[in-house]
Amino acid sequence: MSWFSKLLLPGRLRTGPTALLPARPDPKTLLAVAQLADPEARTDGDDILAGGSRIQPPVELTADVLAKLGVPDDDGLWACRIAAEGPLPVDFFDKSLAEGIAYRLGGWSLCQGEPLDPAEDAGDPLVYLPAVPEPEEILPVLSEALRHAEAVDAEKWPEGELIEGVVHVPVRGGRVADVYAGADVLVTIEEGHRLPPAAQTRWPYLTEIAIARVSPVTRTEEPEGVPDADAAPGPLDAASGTDADTDTDTDTGSDTDAGSDAEDVPSGNDAEGADEVRAALLVRAAVAVTLANALRGIAADSRGFQLAEPADVLPGGYA
């Protein structure tokens, strides 16, 4: 790499989504990870094409380059930049792709000068479905998969009905069609989503799909409070602000305090809390996989990467 390219590299990496990885990924492993998001992902020379995005080959970043990017790592990282092929991918899929690659390979993601550790927020597992399932179709599955609720909270869900341990709330407002709640897991069915690459491969004849979001029941106060699909996070409606054409002269992000506590030794309570979060995530992933198998859907994580089994939702699985 020429000296001129090295000068431009930090700016190029800051503008577009980038996966920052602790080790150089094996090309076959990187392709396998990309195919979790887009089963039709393929190599194109040294690049990988996935979901309308191009995953560029890894470039080694030294400590001085990382300092310009605002990433606190003295040992160096490997960067895989995600570049859109033509117009920006639907629903900022390139950003989700960078985060998902980093999540599975134990790294960071970087977008618009802001480093992010995806492992700190795994998000909610999803199930892609060809259509909204009827209550009589999904309730028996949830009754087996969820820890049962003992009663309906009339204040929270005045329209709710307890059926075999599952509270069913028909919403039919906006994109939210139905809400199902067990003792600690909430399943929200949303309709009218555009097809992510994984679903497009399975159902090429559809123009819209339904999505079941599997979240903690304590996070939502009432069905009407479930975020509309247009505002919900994830690969279909990612956080706003991702723009691959952002001026490279913007702030480098060197003031970020990300990782400033990296050397702190976690307390016993912190470790217990992390174990509880991990266990709860596995429970929700198990519900998603069960629903996908029973309803002929596709289980995925919050960034659109497919889950074959619950453990696939944990970070660093391909590291």
Side-chain angles (χ1 to χ4, degrees), residues 77-93:
L77 294 172
W78 291 82
C80 290
R81 186 171 186 268
I82 315 297
E85 286 282 279
L88 282 176
V90 172
D91 299 315
F92 304 108
F93 179 74

Side-chain angles (χ1 to χ4, degrees), residues 29 48 52 88 92 120 154 171 188 195 222 225:
T29 300
I48 294 174
L88 282 176
F92 304 108
E120 292 182 354
V171 180
T188 305
L195 276 70
E222 54 183 284

